[in-house]
């Protein structure tokens, strides 16, 4: 239901997450999920509870799976663009 983009170098196969960590750009300061920007088909979202640096392309409407959950504190992933 998604196409994931990650921090792995496609030539060497090395996971570059530590490079993002060293530069302090390994997660969003605020996850900022908004009902105004649901995870509709053809949108981009940050992956995981920390929100980044990995992101994904929604191939279908994923609002139910990547939006706010039923549990308190599960605010959902940030959706940041439409293609």
């Amino acid at each position: 239901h998604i196409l994931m983009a990650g921090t792995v170098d496609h030539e060497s196969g090395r996971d570059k997450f530590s490079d993002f960590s060293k530069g302090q750009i390994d997660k969003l300061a605020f996850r900022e999920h908004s009902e105004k920007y649901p995870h509709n088909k053809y949108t981009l979202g940050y992956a995981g509870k920390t929100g980044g640096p990995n992101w994904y392309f929604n191939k279908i409407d994923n609002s139910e799976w990547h939006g706010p959950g039923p549990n308190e504190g599960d605010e959902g992933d940030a959706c940041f663009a439409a293609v």
Side-chain angles (χ1 to χ4, degrees):
H1 68 273
I2 63 171
L3 176 65
M4 183 70 105
T7 57
V8 176
D9 184 301
H10 73 279
E11 291 180 1
S12 69
R14 183 175 79 83
D15 188 344
K16 299 180 86 175
F17 183 79
S18 63
D19 297 340
F20 284 83
S21 249
K22 288 175 191 171
Q24 298 181 340
I25 55 171
D26 56 328
K27 60 186 170 212
L28 298 175
F30 304 96
R31 285 178 55 197
E32 300 182 281
H33 179 272
S34 171
E35 292 297 326
K36 294 179 183 179
Y37 302 99
H39 289 271
N40 294 330
K41 187 176 183 177
Y42 305 131
T43 58
L44 304 176
Y46 284 109
K49 300 296 181 200
T50 59
N54 297 339
W55 55 274
Y56 54 86
F57 172 77
N58 288 298
K59 298 190 303 183
I60 62 172
D61 184 341
N62 285 307
S63 299
E64 182 179 338
W65 294 279
H66 296 281
N71 301 317
E72 185 176 336
D74 186 7
E75 60 191 84
D77 295 340
C79 185
F80 66 92
V83 179

